[in-house]
Coordinates of all heavy atoms in Angstrom, one line a residue:
Y53 N 93.9 170.5 75.3 CA 95.1 171.2 76.0 C 94.8 171.5 77.5 O 95.6 171.5 78.2 CB 95.7 172.3 75.3 CG 96.4 171.9 74.0 CD1 95.7 172.0 72.7 CD2 97.6 171.4 73.9 CE1 96.3 171.7 71.6 CE2 98.3 171.0 72.7 CZ 97.6 171.2 71.6 OH 98.3 170.8 70.4
N54 N 93.5 172.0 77.7 CA 93.3 172.7 78.9 C 92.3 171.9 79.8 O 91.4 171.1 79.3 CB 92.6 174.2 78.7 CG 91.2 174.0 78.2 OD1 90.2 173.8 79.0 ND2 90.9 174.2 76.9
P55 N 92.4 172.1 81.0 CA 91.6 171.2 82.1 C 90.0 171.4 81.9 O 89.5 170.4 82.3 CB 92.1 171.6 83.3 CG 92.8 172.8 83.2 CD 93.2 173.0 81.8
T124 N 96.9 164.2 80.5 CA 98.0 165.0 80.4 C 97.5 166.4 80.1 O 96.9 166.7 79.1 CB 98.9 164.6 79.3 OG1 99.4 163.2 79.5 CG2 100.1 165.4 79.1
L125 N 97.9 167.3 81.0 CA 97.5 168.7 80.9 C 98.6 169.6 80.2 O 99.7 169.4 80.5 CB 97.1 169.2 82.3 CG 96.2 168.4 83.1 CD1 96.2 169.0 84.5 CD2 94.8 168.5 82.5
G126 N 98.2 170.4 79.2 CA 99.1 171.2 78.5 C 99.2 172.7 78.9 O 100.3 173.1 79.1
T127 N 98.1 173.2 79.4 CA 98.2 174.7 79.7 C 96.9 175.1 80.6 O 96.0 174.5 80.5 CB 98.1 175.4 78.3 OG1 98.2 176.9 78.6 CG2 96.8 175.3 77.6
A128 N 97.2 176.0 81.4 CA 96.1 176.6 82.2 C 95.5 177.8 81.6 O 94.6 178.5 82.0 CB 96.7 177.0 83.7
F129 N 96.0 178.2 80.3 CA 95.4 179.3 79.5 C 94.2 178.7 78.7 O 94.3 177.7 78.1 CB 96.4 180.0 78.7 CG 97.4 180.9 79.4 CD1 98.6 180.5 79.7 CD2 96.9 182.2 79.6 CE1 99.4 181.3 80.3 CE2 97.7 183.1 80.2 CZ 99.0 182.6 80.5
L155 N 93.9 183.1 81.9 CA 94.7 182.1 82.7 C 93.7 181.7 83.9 O 93.3 182.4 84.7 CB 95.9 182.7 83.2 CG 96.7 181.8 84.2 CD1 97.4 180.7 83.4 CD2 97.9 182.7 84.9
L156 N 93.5 180.3 83.9 CA 92.8 179.8 85.0 C 93.5 179.9 86.4 O 94.8 179.9 86.4 CB 92.4 178.3 84.8 CG 91.6 178.1 83.5 CD1 91.5 176.6 83.4 CD2 90.3 178.8 83.5
S157 N 92.8 180.0 87.5 CA 93.4 180.0 88.8 C 93.6 178.6 89.2 O 93.1 177.5 88.6 CB 92.5 180.7 89.8 OG 91.3 179.9 89.9
V158 N 94.4 178.4 90.2 CA 94.6 177.1 90.8 C 93.3 176.4 91.3 O 93.0 175.3 91.0 CB 95.6 177.0 92.0 CG1 95.7 175.6 92.7 CG2 97.0 177.5 91.5
V161 N 91.3 175.3 88.1 CA 91.9 174.0 87.5 C 91.6 172.9 88.5 O 91.2 171.7 88.0 CB 93.5 174.1 87.3 CG1 94.1 172.8 86.9 CG2 93.7 175.2 86.3
S162 N 91.8 172.9 89.8 CA 91.6 171.9 90.6 C 90.1 171.4 90.6 O 89.7 170.2 90.7 CB 92.0 172.1 92.2 OG 91.4 173.3 92.6
L165 N 89.6 169.4 87.4 CA 90.2 168.0 87.8 C 89.3 167.2 88.6 O 89.1 166.0 88.2 CB 91.6 168.1 88.2 CG 92.6 169.0 87.4 CD1 94.0 169.0 88.1 CD2 92.6 168.5 85.9
F183 N 97.3 161.7 86.5 CA 97.6 163.0 85.8 C 99.1 163.1 85.7 O 100.0 162.7 86.4 CB 97.1 164.2 86.8 CG 95.6 164.2 86.8 CD1 94.9 163.9 88.0 CD2 94.9 164.7 85.8 CE1 93.5 164.0 88.0 CE2 93.5 164.8 85.8 CZ 92.9 164.5 87.0
T184 N 99.3 163.8 84.6 CA 100.7 164.3 84.3 C 100.6 165.7 83.7 O 99.5 166.0 83.0 CB 101.4 163.3 83.5 OG1 102.9 163.6 83.4 CG2 100.9 163.2 82.0
V185 N 101.7 166.5 83.7 CA 101.8 167.7 83.1 C 102.7 167.7 81.9 O 103.8 167.2 82.1 CB 102.2 168.8 84.0 CG1 102.5 170.2 83.4 CG2 101.1 169.0 85.2
S186 N 102.2 168.1 80.8 CA 103.1 168.0 79.6 C 104.4 168.8 79.7 O 104.4 170.0 80.0 CB 102.3 168.5 78.4 OG 103.2 168.6 77.3
H190 N 104.6 175.8 76.0 CA 103.6 176.6 75.1 C 104.3 178.1 75.0 O 104.0 179.0 75.8 CB 102.4 176.8 75.7 CG 101.6 175.5 75.6 ND1 100.3 175.4 75.0 CD2 101.8 174.2 76.0 CE1 99.9 174.1 75.1 NE2 100.8 173.4 75.8
N198 N 104.5 180.6 80.2 CA 104.5 179.2 80.2 C 104.8 178.6 81.6 O 104.2 177.6 82.1 CB 105.5 178.8 79.2 CG 105.7 177.2 79.3 OD1 104.8 176.4 78.8 ND2 106.9 176.7 79.8
Q199 N 105.8 179.2 82.3 CA 106.1 178.8 83.7 C 105.0 179.0 84.6 O 104.6 178.1 85.4 CB 107.3 179.4 84.2 CG 108.6 179.0 83.5 CD 108.9 177.6 83.7 OE1 108.6 176.7 82.8 NE2 109.5 177.2 84.7
I200 N 104.2 180.2 84.5 CA 103.0 180.4 85.3 C 102.0 179.4 85.0 O 101.4 178.8 86.0 CB 102.5 181.8 85.2 CG1 103.6 182.9 85.6 CG2 101.2 181.9 85.8 CD1 103.9 182.8 87.1
S201 N 101.8 179.1 83.8 CA 100.8 178.1 83.5 C 101.1 176.7 84.0 O 100.2 176.1 84.6 CB 100.6 178.1 81.9 OG 99.9 177.0 81.4
K202 N 102.3 176.3 83.8 CA 102.7 175.0 84.2 C 102.6 174.9 85.7 O 102.2 173.9 86.3 CB 104.1 174.6 83.7 CG 104.4 174.5 82.2 CD 103.5 173.5 81.6 CE 104.0 173.3 80.0 NZ 103.1 172.3 79.3
S203 N 102.9 175.8 86.4 CA 103.0 176.0 87.9 C 101.6 175.9 88.5 O 101.2 175.1 89.3 CB 103.5 177.2 88.5 OG 105.0 177.4 88.1
T204 N 100.6 176.5 87.8 CA 99.3 176.4 88.1 C 98.6 175.1 88.0 O 98.1 174.5 88.9 CB 98.4 177.4 87.2 OG1 98.9 178.7 87.3 CG2 96.9 177.4 87.5
L205 N 99.0 174.4 86.9 CA 98.7 172.9 86.6 C 99.3 172.0 87.7 O 98.6 171.2 88.4 CB 99.1 172.4 85.2 CG 98.5 173.2 84.1 CD1 99.2 172.7 82.8 CD2 96.9 173.0 84.1
L206 N 100.6 172.2 88.1 CA 101.2 171.3 89.0 C 100.5 171.5 90.5 O 100.4 170.5 91.1 CB 102.7 171.7 89.1 CG 103.5 171.2 88.0 CD1 104.8 172.0 87.8 CD2 103.6 169.8 87.9
L207 N 100.3 172.8 90.8 CA 99.7 173.0 92.2 C 98.3 172.4 92.2 O 97.8 171.8 93.2 CB 99.6 174.5 92.4 CG 101.0 175.1 92.7 CD1 100.8 176.7 92.7 CD2 101.4 174.7 94.0
A208 N 97.6 172.6 91.1 CA 96.1 171.9 91.1 C 96.1 170.5 91.1 O 95.3 169.8 91.8 CB 95.4 172.5 89.8
V209 N 97.0 169.9 90.3 CA 97.1 168.4 90.3 C 97.5 167.9 91.7 O 96.9 166.8 92.2 CB 98.2 167.9 89.2 CG1 98.4 166.5 89.5 CG2 97.6 168.1 87.8
E210 N 98.5 168.6 92.4 CA 98.8 168.1 93.8 C 97.6 168.2 94.7 O 97.4 167.3 95.5 CB 100.0 168.9 94.3 CG 100.5 168.7 95.7 CD 101.1 167.3 95.8 OE1 101.4 166.7 94.8 OE2 101.2 166.9 96.9
R211 N 96.9 169.2 94.6 CA 95.7 169.3 95.4 C 94.7 168.3 95.2 O 94.2 167.6 96.1 CB 95.0 170.7 95.1 CG 93.9 170.9 96.1 CD 93.1 172.3 95.7 NE 94.1 173.4 96.1 CZ 93.7 174.7 95.8 NH1 92.5 174.9 95.4 NH2 94.5 175.6 96.0
T212 N 94.5 167.8 93.9 CA 93.5 166.9 93.5 C 94.0 165.4 94.0 O 93.2 164.7 94.5 CB 93.4 166.9 92.0 OG1 93.0 168.3 91.6 CG2 92.3 165.9 91.6
Y221 N 100.0 161.0 90.3 CA 100.7 161.9 89.5 C 101.9 161.2 89.0 O 102.6 160.5 89.7 CB 101.0 163.2 90.2 CG 101.9 164.1 89.4 CD1 101.5 164.8 88.3 CD2 103.3 164.3 89.7 CE1 102.2 165.6 87.7 CE2 104.0 165.2 89.0 CZ 103.5 165.8 87.9 OH 104.3 166.7 87.1

Side-chain angles (χ1 to χ4, degrees):
Y53 293 100
N54 75 79
T124 301
L125 306 171
T127 180
F129 283 100
L155 175 67
L156 300 178
S157 67
V158 174
V161 176
S162 61
L165 300 185
F183 285 111
T184 190
V185 172
S186 171
H190 287 239
N198 175 72
Q199 289 298 97
I200 295 297
S201 170
K202 300 294 187 184
S203 299
T204 300
L205 297 174
L206 289 165
L207 288 168
V209 169
E210 178 64 17
R211 184 183 294 181
T212 307
Y221 175 70

